[in-house]
Amino acid sequence: MSPEPPVVRIDDVRHRSTGSVAMLSIDGTAHELALAVLGDAAVERAVGILTAALAAGDGLEIALAAAAALEPEPGRLALRRAASGALLIDDAAAATPAEARAALRVLADIARDRRRSFAVMGELDTSAADWFDEHDALGRIVVRLDVSQLIVIGHGARHLHNAAGLEGSWDGESVLVDTPDDAYDVLRARLDPEDVVLV
């Protein structure tokens, strides 16, 4: 009878400018898994690779290396550098409220080391019945996460812009523009090399 594969548990996840770092418990022993990709979903995919490798009989070091080699999904929290030197998080394939909330939490984590944070967002993929509530909630989350600047693209996402502006405790700013080109112009005029931008 073959032995049971090790039990892998995610204890903590931190998002940094170089990728996500997961603190894992593997059969009760602590291990760090550093990824060059971002996000809770990426960590879960990497842990899936790790667990499958261990179940297949690979040694722990080999399994951890396989998990650490995870590649980003196109358009999902991919790290890039803007021409200004600012860090760009490309999450353009995200469309749902849940995906947007997860991306904003990643942005907030990375900006916690005193970087300015910019979020460029458009209309969410929601039902007509949920449109108002979902955009309202996301605008308020932007404020709670202390995003420095929100740039909202398109009339369909206007309530995201309005909701953020209604939060009196926010020190940030929201700008509503018509097109992605307009958003690019706003960013280009304001970005510094140390800034981080979620698109």
Side-chain angles (χ1 to χ4, degrees):
M1 186 172 174
S2 60
E4 289 292 316
V7 176
V8 180
R9 186 181 74 230
I10 303 171
D11 289 334
D12 187 35
V13 177
R14 299 183 305 275
H15 307 295
R16 299 292 180 260
S17 59
T18 53
S20 294
V21 178
M23 298 307 298
L24 307 178
S25 174
I26 303 175
D27 272 353
T29 303
H31 295 272
E32 182 179 279
L33 175 61
L35 304 174
V37 296
L38 282 171
D40 292 341
V43 169
E44 290 171 5
R45 285 169 46 222
V47 168
I49 292 169
L50 170 65
T51 303
L54 292 172
D58 290 343
L60 181 57
E61 287 188 13
I62 292 173
L64 283 168
L70 180 72
E71 294 287 331
E73 292 183 298
R76 291 308 317 275
L77 296 171
L79 288 165
R80 313 212 187 299
R81 284 283 171 190
S84 68
L87 183 67
L88 175 65
I89 305 170
D90 175 8
D91 203 38
T96 68
E99 290 169 336
R101 286 191 294 272
L104 284 168
R105 284 192 292 272
V106 168
L107 175 66
D109 270 2
I110 293 174
R112 207 161 274 138
D113 60 1
R114 300 191 185 138
R115 292 170 178 256
R116 284 194 310 167
S117 56
F118 291 72
V120 182
M121 310 189 83
E123 186 172 7
L124 300 172
D125 185 6
T126 67
S127 67
D130 293 334
W131 178 89
F132 181 92
D133 288 341
E134 293 288 10
H135 286 81
D136 182 87
L138 193 64
R140 295 178 192 280
I141 287 169
V142 166
V143 174
R144 289 184 198 119
L145 293 174
D146 201 25
V147 173
S148 308
Q149 169 84 70
L150 174 64
I151 302 170
V152 178
I153 301 173
H155 182 72
R158 70 189 179 281
H159 195 64
L160 200 166
H161 162 73
N162 292 340
L166 289 172
E167 291 285 298
S169 62
W170 192 33
D171 290 332
E173 180 186 0
S174 181
V175 176
L176 178 64
V177 298
D178 291 327
T179 68
D181 286 343
D182 294 336
Y184 175 79
D185 289 340
V186 171
L187 276 175
R188 187 173 58 180
R190 302 186 185 192
L191 278 186
D192 291 330
E194 293 303 310
D195 295 337
V196 56
V197 182
L198 169 68
V199 178

